[in-house]
Amino acid sequence: MKQALELAEYALTMGEAPIGAIIIDENDVVLAKGYNQVEARGNPLAHAEIIALEDCFARYKHNSLSDCTLYVTLEPCLMCAGAILQARLKRIVYGAYSDKGGALSSVANVYEHKFGYSPMVRGGILESECAALMNQFGESLRQEGL
């Protein structure tokens, strides 16, 4: 999670929502990384999780990550939760809860529905550090009047 936090901090310096993600295999080897790039790419789909998944699939040419874990600093949204299902990730570990769009526990729990497969989920890891970055980002937006 600390590596994901470093990516989130970098995203913040780039004017992006401070969200970072890494994918590791069963041997704890980092396979891919991502951070939010919505503003830089002008694309609302450029979430940290999606970027990490795309990077992982491009590098390793697998169509399943069934032995892998995704670490992400903010609870995934509905779009990312769906992408996680398609990638068949074994586990998701996230930091801060998202009361605005969290699809794993805060607003909804999409994995409680019968999709035939559901990853293991654990939230609240380094929660205060992850939430502090999101709060810092929110405060900067308020100061800019956005």
Side-chain angles (χ1 to χ4, degrees), residues 7-57:
L7 290 165
E9 290 168 353
Y10 178 74
L12 184 62
T13 68
M14 301 303 291
E16 300 282 352
I19 303 166
I22 65 166
I23 297 172
I24 64 167
D25 69 11
E26 67 274 12
N27 298 314
D28 294 332
V29 173
V30 175
L31 301 178
K33 300 177 183 182
Y35 61 89
N36 262 34
Q37 296 179 40
V38 170
E39 300 301 324
R41 294 186 182 192
N43 181 348
L45 307 179
H47 289 196
E49 301 95 312
I50 300 296
I51 291 168
L53 286 167
E54 288 176 341
D55 182 38
C56 197
F57 287 121

Side-chain angles (χ1 to χ4, degrees), residues 53-123:
L53 286 167
E54 288 176 341
D55 182 38
C56 197
F57 287 121
R59 285 180 189 215
Y60 300 101
K61 309 293 185 205
H62 295 286
N63 62 1
S64 173
L65 301 175
S66 59
D67 290 329
C68 297
T69 300
L70 170 75
Y71 286 87
V72 61
T73 57
L74 185 68
E75 179 183 356
C77 70
L78 185 58
M79 174 185 71
C80 293
I84 289 163
L85 277 178
Q86 294 300 313
R88 301 194 64 79
L89 280 156
K90 181 178 185 175
R91 183 180 304 110
I92 300 124
V93 179
Y94 65 89
Y97 294 87
S98 175
D99 60 358
K100 292 183 180 179
L104 305 187
S105 67
S106 297
V107 174
N109 181 354
V110 298
Y111 298 150
E112 73 185 0
H113 300 283
K114 296 178 183 175
F115 289 106
Y117 154 78
S118 292
M120 294 179 271
V121 176
R122 184 168 177 205

Side-chain angles (χ1 to χ4, degrees), residues 117-131:
Y117 154 78
S118 292
M120 294 179 271
V121 176
R122 184 168 177 205
I125 305 303
L126 297 180
E127 180 181 1
S128 60
E129 293 93 328
C130 295

